[in-house]
Amino acid sequence: MSNTTTMKSAAPKNSISRKSGLISATNSILSSIVCIIIGLLVGFIILVCINAEHAGEGFMTILIGGFNNINAHARNISKEIAEAAPLIMTGLSVAFAYKTGLFNIGAAGQYSVGALGALYFALVLHMPWYICILAAMLCGAVWGAIPGLLKAFFNVNEVITSIMFNWIALYGVNELLKNNVLGKMYESTKNKTYVVRTTSAGSAIPNMGLDNIFSKSTTIAIFIAIIVAIIMYIIINKTTFGYELKACGHNKDAAKYAGINEKRSIILSMVIAGALAGLGAALFYLSGVGEWNPNDSTACPAIGFNGISVALLAVCNPIGCVFSALLISHITVGGSCLATAYYQPEIADIIIGVIIYLCAFAMLFKMLIGKVVKVKSTSDANADPQIELHEPDSDKEAEKEDEE
Amino acid sequence: MLLLIKYTLLYGIVLMLVALGGMFSERSGVINLALEGIMSVGALAGVLTLCILPQGMAPGLVVLISIVVSAVAGLVYSLLLGFSAITLKADQTIGGTALNMMATALAVVIVKVFNGSASAKLNYSNNAFLIDIPVGDDKLTINVFLFIGLIILLLAFLFLYKTKWGLRLRSCGEHPQAADSVGINVYRWRYIGVMFSGLLGGIGGFAYVIPSVSTWNFEVGVTGFGFLALAVMIFGQWKPINIFGAAMFFAVFKSLANIADSTFLAGLGLSKNVYDMMPFIASMIILVLFSKNSRAPKAEGIPYDKGKR
Amino acid sequence: MNNEYIIEMLNITKEFPGIRANDNVTLQLKKGEIHALLGENGAGKSTLMSILFGLYQPTSGIIKKNGVEVKINNPNDANALNIGMVHQHFKLVECFTVLENIILGVEPTAAGPFLSTKDARAKVMDLSQKYGLSVNPDALISDITVGMQQRTEILKMLYRDNDILIFDEPTAVLTPQEIEELMKIMKNLAKEGKSILFITHKLNEIMEVSDRCTILRKGKYMGTVDIANTNKEELSRLMVGRDVKFEVDKDEAKPKESVLKIKNMTVPSKVHKNNAVKNVSFNVRAGEIVCIAGIDGNGQTEFVHALTGLEKMSEGHIEFKGVDISHSSIRERSKSGMSHIPEDRHKHGLVLDYTLEQNMVLQRYWEPQFQKAGFIKNGAVRDYALKLIDQYDVRSGQGPVTTVRSMSGGNQQKAIIAREIDKDPDLLVAVQPTRGLDVGAIEYIHKQLVAQRDKGKAVLLVSLELEEVMNVSDRILVMYEGELVGQLDPKQITVQELGLYMAGAKRDEVPAEV
């Protein structure tokens, strides 16, 4: 392979990494935006199919999302922010596990068990809100640990396990709540669990004055979520622990060869992912965005599943999860604002579904965009033609090597 | 006891049909996590057909048409998976998950539009599908899907092991490069595998919804049955006859929830939630026991890229 | 029209984005000859053959059969032109039988799509008798030896009545005795009128079996020569572009105390019920290169994995520098001074999606030098990577931040070697360190191994390449079916003799201590 161009230590240390990092980040964002635009377009087409007359108006409703009726009351925007916080967490849960090469489709189950923990500590034990949060995280962590253990020691595919554990969690939590097995949590007259803020005021996440601007359910949860996202970003990118997890995710065998305990990494990764999902449930129920309905035993909480969309749309970048969660919450709230006379709120779910479907081959978009960007940068970066000359063929070369 | 047999046969056949679908897909090399969604779409299409067909139509024809429609709907929906997993070489797990999420939302929207209201429920008559067999004083109710299922089982076995098509399909899931080198079009066979799974998944979804109740709420999809079918497929080691056995085994667990109130089980005082959990717990245990010596097709889950050898 | 050539590839050029894999190459195959295609790894042999087999389309140039231009768009077209190929990595479905593999794609059917194998079986048996290719048609591929698998591949071509047969590096996986057998089969086939293209980089085999030879270097056509009028030296000059030394420069070894002592190591197999490594005992001294020779799949991989901690052994002890490390973790072994250049650089050696600098600290990221309180010191990692890149001449597109996946195989291997040697290990375990590399890189790596030895370190080399075994090592241990069957001095034995040990035809007691 002697036509490989030489480029040893000459380049300045930092500029190289920064430049290539920037390009790849831009590509990721662009490809996500392409997914969103196509998803919205599909949504528009569906609106037209159902009722062409009001399609434009309906589409605007979805686009405006939380800002619908903002002048009359802040209900929608409050809801958007309040639902974004737990979504960020389930998104982080999926994204974090994905860095270790695990697809945590079980965020919904971990979320359910986390909800049970939070509600038990709040409604029965009347603990302060931060203790309730920790309890929820612990419950989620335990539920996440099981698929992790099964993967590490029995090599059972975590996707199937997580799905099974979603259902087991759902039925189990419903059973415990509905029959008040652990204590009085279920208000049968309302078909829901008791409201945290009225039953145990100290267990509700504080508003810190946000309720003056928005509604009561807007708490500091959103800030907690953002801070956790930043912490996750640092763990993944700056620490030896993150280095180990990513090594396992990219190449399990090489990680083992490097002396990294890959079983431990898998389990820890799932434990943390579970804790994050559990925290998400705490942020939802302790803020009082809604109450749990134990009679609904047919589908796992949507916030758990939408975490997958959040993570994929963010290309599993923790900071990106904040923005993608806000966007998905935005579209969902927009959907719920649709005039029910003409449209169904589930149209928002279809849009989100389409977006993830597209995310599955977002790599393709990324590559296409990458090519366009590369062509452009080649034309204005003649200063160092050697590097540019080398880059496009390098992949092919490595491939060829494999063939030989 | 008859009730237990009835439900076991009912659910067993559904699980078997869908698991056979999953088998075809995985044997060709594509992991089909979208079975759950495909079932929902098949069920929706079949039930809608039942609602639309004129009242006075011959029962046999109604049965035939609605089943064909459900199969075709499943097949069309599965093409979305094929397109992403085969043509675009995307991650099969993510694609399948997206299709599951989309299916429920799509079904709800369509039913609501059809009803013209905010209800996602459809009512239908399932008499044409049911056959009563007198057993002593009692009767055992079975449904047409039992016969369809057994015929499909036989056909699936013959196809997979006795025809050149089966040989080719299997080679694509085991060693696509080898298949390609002898002129077998891997992409085409993978599409065929996925389409079979759509076909059987669609029928399976319809068969799940129709015989047991006469109204269905599409907000619930098919309550995780597609995933159970995946577990059945693994337990059945990707082999038709084993899958049949595994499906019947799981069906017993699933049936317990249905007969809990009306039989001796009521005396145990366990709630429906506990019985609902059972098949999932059983499948977990079995997955742990069987994952060590799994005979999964070697190339499943790996997109085939002609350029790379 | 009477034409001397059955296949002609004229002025073939094949460009991949940014690289020209074949540059105006011409290859003409006569009917009934054995024609060798010689070139280094990466010279473009495989690309050229892939074009002939319809896997790639040439950018320019034409292919003629019997003087008539043909287009080969896919393997089906190639098959229709009676072109068949035995790929270097066999294209066999492991869980199918031999017969099923042979008929795959051209299945005989009775009624409709239903298989009927009776006639096919008869034809396969006829062919196997005629050409001396004995196989059991009902055995599963996963149960038979590599040699039998190769025979299955040859039968696959013959069953399709192919008369132009391409053999892609067919000897890489065989014992010297099996190679002789294959040569006989090839001559036999040529005698029966088949035309054979034989891809290789081994000169001895070319001299023995072929009539003519076409040479490629870096994608360019170097010429076609009659074997009768040439010699090994000329061929190697054409292939590499300069004179090649077949010997490795090194002085007599000066072994000192034993660094590694292995006693009664037994390792269970993951694929079959038997043990992969059986009761192996030997030691390695500081200042010597010990080579474990053997045919692929005789327990070498499992042995190395057990030694480095990747797998557990069921019995035995490993003593390293006087300490029992039988139950130590991978990291503990690495910390105590053992380095490991793994067999498969993509599977074990590198995280391909990490950058070069991240890979350079793959085993050392946790050292205080590179982290503080769990946070990675990026500056220290960068400096260290730059030092290694400079010292070991690792070439890449963007220096330390290059994604390793985009680097060439030779430079990937150099990166691993830099990383492993820079740890200054007392024992260097190098498994097939030169696999798939060109002559320049091979020479470089051999020099590094000898330099380690001369520094007074112990080197344990595991190799399948006979030339490497004979030239680099100071002491040879032969492994056959998981057992050590011979301890040999490379200066005193011949390749043929070594082959007998490797094939299990000859064995001695191996002393546990030297």
Side-chain angles (χ1 to χ4, degrees), chain C residues 188-212:
Chain C
N188 223 338
L189 289 165
K191 213 166 61 199
E192 296 280 335
K194 308 278 183 192
S195 313
I196 294 176
L197 266 170
F198 173 38
I199 308 172
T200 187
H201 60 263
K202 292 181 183 165
L203 302 170
N204 293 338
E205 293 165 6
I206 295 182
M207 297 305 294
E208 186 189 333
V209 77
S210 39
D211 303 310
R212 296 194 305 148

Side-chain angles (χ1 to χ4, degrees), chain C residues 90-161:
Chain C
F90 299 150
K91 309 272 184 190
L92 297 171
V93 182
E94 292 231 311
C95 62
F96 283 11
T97 64
V98 168
L99 187 63
E100 282 173 332
N101 268 292
I102 291 173
I103 62 172
L104 184 64
V106 288
E107 303 85 350
T109 51
F114 288 98
L115 289 169
S116 152
T117 53
K118 209 176 117 204
D119 296 344
R121 184 185 302 269
K123 184 172 175 185
V124 169
M125 294 321 284
D126 274 356
L127 286 169
S128 92
Q129 208 134 50
K130 184 171 169 193
Y131 294 101
L133 296 156
S134 68
V135 290
N136 170 7
D138 296 314
L140 290 178
I141 295 296
S142 52
D143 294 342
I144 63 178
T145 64
V146 175
M148 295 236 286
Q149 291 178 4
Q150 189 168 60
R151 271 173 256 161
T152 309
E153 284 281 21
I154 298 172
L155 281 168
K156 227 161 116 179
M157 299 193 293
L158 297 175
Y159 181 80
R160 286 162 170 74
D161 298 321

Side-chain angles (χ1 to χ4, degrees), chain A residues 101-379:
Chain A
L102 302 165
F103 188 52
N104 181 22
I105 202 171
Q110 294 141 20
Y111 181 90
S112 306
V113 179
L116 177 71
L119 290 173
Y120 176 67
F121 272 68
L123 297 175
V124 179
L125 303 178
H126 298 286
M127 288 286 176
W129 62 277
Y130 42 89
I131 300 283
C132 298
I133 283 183
L134 288 177
M137 288 175 75
L138 189 70
C139 290
V142 169
W143 212 249
I146 305 172
L149 287 164
L150 293 179
K151 167 91 179 178
F153 291 106
F154 296 96
N155 198 23
V156 191
N157 186 320
E158 81 281 1
V159 176
I160 310 262
T161 329
S162 302
I163 290 170
M164 300 297 166
F165 270 83
N166 281 344
W167 292 99
I168 297 173
L170 179 71
Y171 292 126
V173 170
N174 279 342
E175 174 72 13
L176 293 174
L177 284 179
K178 193 176 177 187
N179 298 336
N180 287 325
V181 177
L182 299 172
K184 221 167 162 249
M185 295 197 262
Y186 176 57
E187 196 172 7
S188 50
T189 50
K190 288 190 180 159
N191 269 338
K192 282 187 172 167
T193 52
Y194 287 99
V195 178
V196 172
R197 204 168 289 280
T198 52
T199 312
S200 169
S203 305
I205 297 177
N207 294 104
M208 299 273 187
L210 285 172
D211 49 339
N212 296 330
I213 317 169
F214 302 105
S215 72
K216 256 190 212 137
S217 61
T218 315
T219 60
I220 55 165
I222 185 77
F223 299 115
I224 297 177
I226 291 171
I227 291 168
V228 173
I230 294 170
I231 295 173
M232 287 301 132
Y233 178 82
I234 293 172
I235 289 181
I236 291 171
N237 292 304
K238 305 283 176 199
T239 66
T240 50
F241 180 52
Y243 179 93
E244 289 175 351
L245 291 184
K246 278 186 294 177
C248 287
H250 286 311
N251 185 344
K252 222 170 68 178
D253 296 300
K256 192 175 173 194
Y257 159 85
I260 296 168
N261 187 337
E262 109 265 22
K263 289 193 164 91
R264 178 173 158 266
S265 296
I266 287 171
I267 296 164
L268 272 182
S269 176
M270 281 306 286
V271 164
I272 292 173
L276 291 170
L279 175 56
L283 295 185
F284 186 89
Y285 292 100
L286 298 179
S287 289
V289 186
E291 279 77 42
W292 185 281
N293 174 7
N295 298 305
D296 186 2
S297 59
T298 46
C300 293
I303 286 181
F305 274 118
N306 280 339
I308 299 168
S309 334
V310 170
L312 291 178
L313 198 53
V315 207
C316 293
N317 180 315
I319 305 295
C321 283
V322 174
F323 295 100
S324 60
L326 281 169
L327 180 96
I328 283 178
S329 179
H330 188 79
I331 293 175
T332 315
V333 170
S336 69
C337 293
L338 282 172
T340 46
Y342 311 122
Y343 299 116
Q344 296 68 34
E346 287 81 7
I347 289 171
D349 296 338
I350 299 184
I351 295 176
I352 295 168
V354 172
I355 292 176
I356 326 176
Y357 177 71
L358 296 171
C359 280
F361 41 90
M363 284 308 290
L364 198 83
F365 292 134
K366 210 174 153 180
M367 252 166 50
L368 286 176
I369 295 166
K371 268 187 196 154
V372 176
V373 174
K374 198 163 268 173
V375 169
K376 274 193 179 162
S377 72
T378 325
S379 56

